[in-house]
Amino acid sequence: MKNFILALLSGFILALGWPTYGFPLLLFIGFVPLLLMEHRVRTSSVGWKKLVVFGYSYIGFVIWNYITTNWLQYADVFGASFAILVNSLLMALMMVLYHSVAKRATRNISLLFIMCLWMAFEKLHLGWDFSWPWLNLGNGFSEYITWIQWYEYTGTFGGSLWVWLVNILMFKAVLTYRIAKSVQPLKKEGILIVSLIVVPILISLGIFHSYKMEGTPVNVIALQPNIDPYSEKYDVPNEAIADLLLKLTDTKINAETDLIVAPETVFADNVKISQLEDMYFKRKLDVYLSEHPKTNLLTGISFINFITDSAQIKEQSNKHSSGFWYDDYNSAMLLNQSDSVQLYHKSKLVVGVETLPYPEIIKPLIGDFMIDLGGTLAMKTTQEDREVFTTDNKNLIAAPIICYESVYGEFVTGYVRNGATVLAIITNDAWWGDTQGHKQHLSLARLRAIETRRDIVRSANTGISALINAKGEITSSLAYNTQGALSGTLISNDKISFYTLAGDYIARIAIFVALFVFLITMFRRSRVF
């Protein structure tokens, strides 16, 4: 029963520490009950210890995953169930691996292993086909941006390292107390724990209050059309969408407006790339921009490209029931008066909605299964490089970040390394309704601002659209489920943060350490406790 209670405690503590409603100080003790549970099992006479550790860990992680990400069910129940249950399973396996090492290594070595192993797991979640980095620990501080200004040097893995270091010291302090039955020996540990929490926050506060917004002011508008994707979006012709966007723009535009940003796939009626210039809605936009020659329009659009040459068929290409092949794109385009159309195709795709993971394995088992969220039910085709959009303002180069891409720190730095001076996030968070989903997604964008030291303009179909400065502060926003336009000024700059250059170096070091410790300890006999 004690082990069960410990597992429950970890699950609830981690959940209560999560944004946007939680207090992240709780994350510093979230893993302590699970570590105590594993220690109790390892030092007991119970059989099937690995299975016991897995079972209790799984209970705790399911609680954490369900409370924080159950909003996925409003888009698709199967997808939500898969994400919650499988992610919890992977987390529980981390505890089993820790248990295996802890039987053979010293306490400090085994705790070093679980810390590095967890960060290696988080790094895996950023890159493999089942990518789901939503619960990476460094994301947990997204609402407390004054604590983590040093993310410009470490990225979110600095936060993950921070969380684990404090949890480990807390766990060791509890074990010390259980042996000594007194708080006297804990004074030194207590000072170290408090210092490890307080000093990074103080450093961050110093950076926050001394940071200077340097660069060129640019005037932007974020559009929020508030179109219901379940009942309207894919039934409204692109011409009508263009009229709505221009109507909203008229409420805010002036002679100084540099950039207008519209949401992801707002032009949802698939357009053949080769026919874009001949589309009536495109001509409407061109006429409007000719009347506002300083202004640039960055918008989401759904493209399709029919393949006539079999040599052009890619792994992500789709075969229609009629036999022909085509590529389906979730794209961003930039229009202005001086350049040809600039395009970028979304490259971090939502599993099960936009891409089928490991198709060579999955297709033979379940066929071409994809979750239907409206529109064209097909795998999306991506591109290799992070495209940036040049504008008529030489000081403004925009990164067209599409929806889910904004969750990936190192991925976003690719836009900045390619010259982006402002981040433009276009998204459609309406699938989840008025839940924590769209709130958490907005909150994670604040981390990208700090990591890259770039201002952000965020256009979300149903909200929350927002302007975010390089310190991660939301300077203005439009409420969820409202229609309107948001205007304001961003600072465009070309400075490069350390994290932009170095990327997830902490995770790479952690992978090396975890692998080294695992290989060394697995050749040892189990220790006697």
Side-chain angles (χ1 to χ4, degrees), residues 312-330:
Q312 296 179 343
I313 296 174
K314 299 178 279 292
E315 185 179 290
Q316 296 171 318
S317 299
N318 300 274
K319 188 175 184 180
H320 193 270
S321 57
S322 302
F324 63 85
W325 289 82
Y326 66 96
D327 288 326
D328 194 271
Y329 298 95
N330 180 348

Side-chain angles (χ1 to χ4, degrees), residues 27-32 35 163-171:
L27 298 178
F28 293 124
I29 60 171
F31 288 96
V32 174
L35 292 173
V163 168
W164 267 109
L165 283 172
V166 178
N167 270 276
I168 286 170
L169 290 177
M170 288 281 194
F171 169 63

Side-chain angles (χ1 to χ4, degrees), residues 338-350:
S338 60
D339 297 317
S340 58
V341 178
Q342 299 174 56
L343 299 178
Y344 168 73
H345 305 305
K346 184 179 180 182
S347 299
K348 276 292 185 182
L349 305 177
V350 181

Side-chain angles (χ1 to χ4, degrees), residues 138-159 162 200-201 203-209 211-213 401 406-410 412-413 416 421-423 425 442-457 467-474 491 493 495-504:
N139 294 341
F141 301 97
S142 61
E143 287 294 291
Y144 286 73
I145 50 108
T146 56
W147 293 13
I148 52 166
Q149 291 297 304
W150 36 266
Y151 273 19
E152 69 170 300
Y153 301 102
T154 69
T156 57
F157 280 99
W162 192 26
I201 293 176
I203 292 172
S204 177
L205 287 169
I207 297 172
F208 180 82
H209 290 295
Y211 185 82
K212 294 181 180 179
M213 304 287 186
I401 303 167
S406 65
V407 180
Y408 296 81
E410 189 175 64
V412 170
T413 65
V416 179
T421 59
V422 163
L423 307 184
I425 298 175
L442 168 64
S443 189
L444 294 178
R446 307 173 76 180
L447 303 177
R448 305 292 85 82
I450 297 169
E451 290 170 340
T452 62
R453 290 305 186 191
R454 291 293 185 271
D455 283 17
I456 296 175
V457 51
L467 303 181
I468 305 171
N469 68 23
K471 296 196 293 184
E473 296 175 297
I474 298 175
I491 301 299
N493 81 87
K495 293 182 179 179
I496 302 296
S497 70
F498 180 83
Y499 176 71
T500 298
L501 291 174
D504 295 330

